[in-house]
Amino acid sequence: MLRSRNSLLLVVICTCVFLLFIPKQSVAQIKTSSDTVKILPKARWGGVTGRPYKQHVPVKITVHHEGGKLLTKNDDAFKRLKNIQTWGMGPDRKWADVPYHLLIAPDGTVLEGRNPLTVGETNTEYDPTGHLLICFLGNYNQQKLDDHLLDVLVRLLADQCIKYNISPNEISTHRDHSTQTTCPGDDIYSYFKNGYIVKKVNKLVKKRISQ
Ligand SMILES: [Zn+2]
């Protein structure tokens, strides 16, 4: 009787361990194949390979804007990013690469930046270790997101949440971590302040993981 009870207990434990393990495997499989937003490789915008830098695994996502000059759909976003890289890697900053991991042009094109498995850079007081940095090119204190850019942002955030197993509740903006900046600009920040972005990403991630 005792032996059979122990056997039963063993079966129950094994089943629980199995059930705990299997869903994680399934999520991992979804991660590699579920990206919905195409990321344009560095070579396409003329970027050079970054230098080796501190490694990390992203556990949260922070949204930024470049915060410099206004950038419209008619301006050359590739050139703007190339200039950011050249300046950042030069004597002014001596950074390993572009400071951000992913960048969004005004027409919604997403551009590859620094290797997401290396820590990003900042000019402010917060520590970007563990943050995946997504940055809109341009200045969103002066320009506004349109419906297409909002859609790209929500889908890109959902892609990255699934890829790195990050909860959408861990998405925030630069100014949430630093008192020294208005980044990502008043327009982008308004969609975080009212909860719109995090709510949309939560809904999308839940839908995609359950498929
Ligand atoms: Zn920022």
Side-chain angles (χ1 to χ4, degrees):
M1 184 64 192
L2 188 63
R3 187 179 293 168
S4 77
R5 193 182 293 166
N6 282 347
S7 301
L8 183 66
L9 192 63
L10 189 66
V11 169
V12 169
I13 290 169
C14 288
T15 308
C16 288
V17 169
F18 180 76
L19 287 174
L20 276 172
F21 186 67
I22 287 303
K24 281 185 184 164
Q25 288 287 310
S26 305
V27 169
Q29 282 165 11
I30 292 167
K31 282 177 196 169
T32 53
S33 59
S34 68
D35 281 5
T36 64
V37 179
K38 190 183 161 200
I39 297 168
L40 216 61
K42 249 182 181 174
R44 290 285 300 280
W45 56 263
V48 298
T49 306
R51 295 189 282 261
Y53 195 60
K54 280 185 285 183
Q55 296 193 344
H56 75 162
V57 175
V59 293
K60 53 180 74 182
I61 303 176
T62 312
V63 176
H64 298 254
H65 74 156
E66 182 201 343
K69 270 192 247 166
L70 198 113
L71 189 74
T72 71
K73 285 178 189 170
N74 299 324
D75 295 324
D76 190 341
F78 290 7
K79 194 177 166 195
R80 174 71 66 95
L81 183 51
K82 176 70 184 161
N83 288 345
I84 293 171
Q85 188 185 44
T86 305
W87 168 78
M89 292 178 79
D92 275 350
R93 287 293 180 275
K94 296 181 182 150
W95 287 336
D97 201 337
V98 174
Y100 310 103
H101 301 111
L102 296 165
L103 298 106
I104 307 177
D107 67 355
T109 305
V110 178
L111 309 166
E112 180 190 23
R114 164 181 302 239
N115 177 353
L117 298 177
T118 62
V119 179
E121 306 279 3
T122 180
N123 287 319
T124 59
E125 82 280 25
Y126 86 108
D127 177 5
T129 306
H131 295 238
L132 182 82
L133 309 180
I134 296 180
C135 177
F136 281 87
L137 291 166
N139 189 328
Y140 284 80
N141 278 322
Q142 295 166 32
Q143 55 196 99
K144 288 187 186 303
L145 295 176
D146 58 21
D147 287 348
H148 177 56
L149 284 173
L150 273 170
D151 175 62
V152 168
L153 177 61
V154 167
R155 287 189 297 112
L156 181 65
L157 287 167
D159 285 352
Q160 304 308 310
C161 283
I162 293 168
K163 185 178 286 177
Y164 295 108
N165 204 16
I166 298 172
S167 161
N169 298 324
E170 295 296 330
I171 302 168
S172 60
T173 71
H174 189 173
R175 73 167 79 174
D176 298 316
H177 299 277
S178 167
T179 56
Q180 300 175 337
T181 182
T182 60
C183 178
D186 290 343
D187 186 64
I188 294 174
Y189 188 67
S190 69
Y191 295 96
F192 284 90
K193 201 176 168 186
N194 66 15
Y196 175 87
I197 301 278
V198 171
K199 193 174 159 191
K200 280 267 190 189
V201 178
N202 256 311
K203 207 170 155 188
L204 189 54
V205 168
K206 267 183 203 151
K207 187 179 158 197
R208 279 167 47 184
I209 282 181
S210 68
Q211 276 171 353

